[in-house]
Amino acid sequence: MAKSYFGTDGIRGTANRHPMTAEVAMKVGMAAGIVFRRGNHRHRVVIGKDTRRSSYMIENAMVAGFTAAGVDVFLLGPMPTPAVAMLTRSLRADIGVMISASHNPFEDNGIKLFGPDGYKLSDDIEAAIAGLIDEDLASRMPTGAEIGRAKRVDGDIYRYIEFAKRTLPRELSLDGMRIAIDCANGAGYRVAPEVLWELGAEIVKIGVEPDGVNINRDCGSTAPGALIAKVREVRADIGIALDGDADRVLIVDERGDIVDGDQLMAVIAESWAEDGRLAAGGIVATIMSNLGLERFLESKQLQLARTKVGDRYVVEHMRQHGYNVGGEQSGHIILSDFATTGDGLVSALQILAVVRRKGGPVSEICRRFEPVPQVLKNVRFRNGEPLQQDLVQDAIAKGRDRLGNAGRLVIRPSGTEPLIRVMAEGDDAGLVNAVVDDIVGALHAAAG
């Protein structure tokens, strides 16, 4: 049952199509309210959202579900995912909800759930919620004064602004820096520029005019072309690109070149290790992170622990083994000294702290290693299981043999879209491209 609703990052799909319907959203609120019912206190949930038009629909449906389950609702409005996680703890809520499909196009939407500790839910709790969604829950709903209430809370955005600023040393200022920031017309469009401005920077902002349908459209971390052009136009010292829910970040250096999550993790890991702040002797990343990152860390006597794709798995490994830095190549950076989930703004602030301390250009400070040639291609399919076809399995086996010990091959279905991702890397760029093309061709044939 859990698989029919929850993917690698909550529930996600096309808005107004199963499972992202108002009916399912209401049932999620009812089910989560039941699962988190403990003790006899007034239970509360905080709900944030991104700027998609469909977020209004999902928000109101979830309010109906939670209040029906006897949970009081605090509506935060547009708010970054990490802010929702932080406020879940700060407001002593029993549950946190972020309504967002992150970097997906505006037609999609999603529901992410957090426990009272601000962490995303475990598979077991998600399964418990999913198991209730299709049940008739009417008899388990309270009546009378036990029904929940709902109210909007606008001032709590400033709690997050102050929290983000406090992640930097008190004496650090961004005076004299010109920063271009692209907020993807998403959830961070208010808070991120405000934090940077209050820290003293000169701000040039784009992607801060959401209209309900332009989130992630030709902007943000998944489409950094607009930011690259703006950095070059205004001669910014650095560019910062967030995604739709502001839990990931990419950097653009003063020359207009992109700095991805692998390089950002390298910068933070090296800096924190020098300061004696890096825990567990290394960092956590996924199977998609570049082999160059692994080699760089080894040169610094640091280790790279790999997990399967998904920031929740990175966080789980960090918590189990005591790491305080982890993330993904896409720009999800988790710094557990500060946050329970990826935080694009806080990660950017840590990079800015290193840049200010070292005093050099971003192009030098944030280029810690030469990436190994890596190719990633996506194959979209409508139905079936093309990965299980014999011709695909044969192509994969041949690809692994050709790469041998000089490279890596990762093939996986996306947890949020009907895509199969094919990634290969190795020192021989021509071989890497050939291996990926062969497997992609087989997948296209199998997918029809």
Side-chain angles (χ1 to χ4, degrees):
M1 184 65 70
K3 290 182 179 179
S4 64
Y5 290 103
F6 289 92
T8 57
D9 197 16
I11 304 171
R12 191 176 298 188
T14 302
N16 247 5
R17 295 292 182 269
H18 186 83
M20 284 313 304
T21 63
E23 179 183 12
V24 171
M26 183 180 70
K27 293 296 291 287
V28 169
M30 296 168 73
I34 291 172
V35 169
F36 280 90
R37 189 180 292 163
R38 57 199 72 186
N40 57 5
H41 64 281
R42 292 290 303 188
H43 291 74
R44 55 172 58 178
V45 57
V46 297
I47 300 179
K49 62 181 180 180
D50 68 19
T51 56
R52 295 163 209 270
R53 181 176 296 172
S54 60
S55 291
Y56 290 97
M57 174 188 75
I58 302 300
E59 178 186 56
N60 284 306
M62 296 201 77
V63 168
F66 278 116
T67 53
V71 181
D72 293 337
V73 180
F74 292 76
L75 294 167
L76 305 174
M79 190 77 78
T81 289
V84 173
M86 185 274 287
L87 289 167
T88 300
R89 293 180 297 163
S90 178
L91 295 171
R92 295 185 66 183
D94 300 276
I95 320 166
V97 177
M98 180 63 184
I99 301 169
S100 175
S102 190
H103 58 281
N104 284 30
F106 92 94
E107 295 90 348
D108 293 344
N109 216 326
I111 298 171
K112 305 179 186 183
L113 300 175
F114 298 91
D117 57 1
Y119 285 97
K120 292 180 181 179
L121 304 186
S122 67
D123 290 341
D124 290 342
I125 296 178
E126 286 186 345
I129 293 171
L132 293 172
I133 291 176
D134 292 325
E135 291 188 14
D136 182 355
L137 302 176
S139 63
R140 303 178 67 172
M141 297 295 102
T143 59
E146 297 304 311
I147 293 174
R149 297 165 291 192
K151 66 176 181 179
R152 293 203 173 270
V153 286
D154 296 324
D156 285 306
I157 189 173
Y158 299 105
R159 289 198 194 203
Y160 177 69
I161 288 174
E162 288 304 314
F163 154 78
K165 289 162 59 179
R166 286 199 303 270
T167 64
L168 291 178
R170 185 179 297 273
E171 70 278 3
L172 190 140
S173 169
L174 301 181
D175 288 348
M177 289 196 76
R178 178 176 294 168
I179 300 176
I181 183 164
D182 182 351
C183 297
N185 292 313
Y189 81 100
R190 292 173 58 195
V191 299
E194 182 69 19
V195 167
L196 295 169
W197 181 83
E198 290 186 10
L199 288 168
E202 176 189 347
I203 303 301
V204 180
K205 53 188 179 180
I206 61 175
V208 291
E209 298 179 353
D211 61 10
V213 299
N214 63 358
I215 185 171
N216 298 318
R217 183 199 293 163
D218 301 324
C219 58
S221 63
T222 53
L227 180 62
I228 291 170
K230 183 60 67 174
V231 166
R232 291 171 174 165
E233 174 193 341
V234 303
R235 297 185 178 181
D237 299 299
I238 188 172
I240 298 170
L242 304 176
D243 69 336
D245 66 336
D247 66 351
R248 67 167 70 178
V249 63
L250 293 180
I251 296 295
V252 174
D253 68 24
E254 79 284 355
R255 301 182 304 192
D257 295 329
I258 296 172
V259 183
D260 68 11
D262 284 346
Q263 296 281 0
L264 299 181
M265 285 188 285
V267 172
I268 295 171
E270 182 181 32
S271 175
W272 284 24
E274 291 172 352
D275 294 342
R277 297 172 56 192
L278 188 67
I283 69 173
V284 182
T286 75
I287 55 176
M288 302 299 284
S289 277
N290 194 278
L291 186 59
L293 171 62
E294 189 169 343
R295 292 172 177 174
F296 169 79
L297 292 171
E298 288 175 352
S299 74
K300 302 294 179 180
Q301 287 76 55
L302 301 173
Q303 62 180 341
L304 175 65
R306 291 187 185 267
T307 72
K308 58 184 177 180
V309 173
D311 64 301
R312 62 181 295 180
Y313 303 112
V314 173
V315 172
E316 286 175 5
H317 195 89
M318 291 172 66
R319 297 180 74 187
Q320 291 170 1
H321 300 281
Y323 293 88
N324 62 349
V325 176
E328 297 184 280
Q329 188 182 65
S330 60
H332 273 118
I333 312 292
I334 301 101
L335 305 173
S336 61
D337 288 357
F338 306 125
T340 57
T341 187
D343 191 320
L345 176 59
V346 168
S347 300
L349 292 177
Q350 299 308 304
I351 296 298
L352 288 169
V354 177
V355 171
R356 289 302 263 182
R357 187 178 69 181
K358 293 187 178 293
V362 174
S363 58
E364 294 180 8
I365 293 171
C366 292
R367 299 283 172 179
R368 306 318 301 153
F369 64 89
E370 187 64 32
V372 169
Q374 185 183 82
V375 176
L376 171 64
K377 293 188 178 181
N378 298 322
V379 179
R380 187 171 293 273
F381 64 98
R382 293 183 178 179
N383 48 49
E385 296 183 344
L387 265 180
Q388 306 308 315
Q389 298 289 329
D390 289 343
L391 76 163
V392 175
Q393 290 297 311
D394 289 345
I396 292 172
K398 290 177 181 176
R400 293 194 193 281
D401 287 342
R402 294 175 70 186
L403 287 172
N405 295 325
R408 293 193 312 127
L409 179 62
V410 178
I411 297 97
R412 67 177 189 89
S414 168
T416 57
E417 300 177 82
L419 297 173
I420 294 172
R421 306 191 191 280
V422 181
M423 188 277 281
E425 63 180 355
D427 295 315
D428 185 337
L431 176 60
V432 168
N433 275 287
V435 167
V436 170
D437 287 344
D438 287 349
I439 295 172
V440 166
L443 280 167
H444 277 305

